[in-house]
Amino acid sequence: MKSPVTRLLCIDLQVDAVPGCAPDPSSIFGARQLLTLARRLGWTIAHARRRTQVVIRARNGAQAGMNPLMTEQVFFHDDRSIAGSQGLADLLHGWRDETVYVAAFDHVALLSCLLACHENGPKMVLIEDVPPL
């Protein structure tokens, strides 16, 4: 029996996505745990990331375990809404008949994603707490 493909969408899982709104350390720990587990299980992972200069500098390892891997799709957006990311909208349309797990630090970006998927998108399952592995 073949196990179903599981998908994870990480929305702005970056410490510096919204100036002045850094996530708590427990959220950062949970995000690392979630990504580690999803990667071990072979899930399809996509990232929606806010485009800022700080994001580019953060690739020095400051967010070890949370940066996208080369095999994971990354879609950039310029403001707190992800609605302007056409590539991401196309991906979500392709996933429309599936269940997608969603993790986000920014509630505004998360809400914009849920609204964008309301009519034609996939069923979204919000991950709030990730237990230790």
Side-chain angles (χ1 to χ4, degrees), residues 8-124:
L8 172 64
L9 176 60
C10 300
I11 302 173
D12 292 345
L13 287 189
Q14 57 197 84
V15 176
D16 49 14
V18 180
C21 296
D24 332 296
S26 64
S27 296
I28 295 168
F29 176 78
R32 282 190 183 117
Q33 294 288 86
L34 173 63
L35 279 166
T36 299
L37 179 64
R39 288 168 177 159
R40 282 186 190 166
L41 294 174
W43 291 8
T44 300
I45 301 172
H47 300 263
R49 295 184 64 106
R50 187 162 175 175
R51 187 187 335 256
T52 64
Q53 289 298 328
V54 181
V55 172
I56 294 166
R57 286 194 303 266
R59 292 210 177 263
N60 65 4
Q63 295 182 36
M66 290 177 36
N67 283 325
L69 299 180
M70 295 297 291
T71 56
E72 298 168 355
Q73 292 182 318
V74 180
F75 302 93
F76 290 100
H77 58 100
D78 292 316
D79 52 13
R80 291 182 77 182
S81 170
I82 65 164
S85 178
Q86 184 59 42
L88 180 61
D90 293 343
L91 176 75
L92 293 174
H93 182 72
W95 289 355
R96 71 186 169 278
D97 297 326
E98 303 180 35
T99 298
V100 176
Y101 294 98
V102 182
F105 286 158
D106 182 11
H107 300 300
V108 173
L110 172 63
L111 181 59
S112 73
C113 179
L114 296 176
L115 289 171
C117 291
H118 177 68
E119 300 259 339
N120 313 347
K123 176 183 175 189
M124 302 294 226

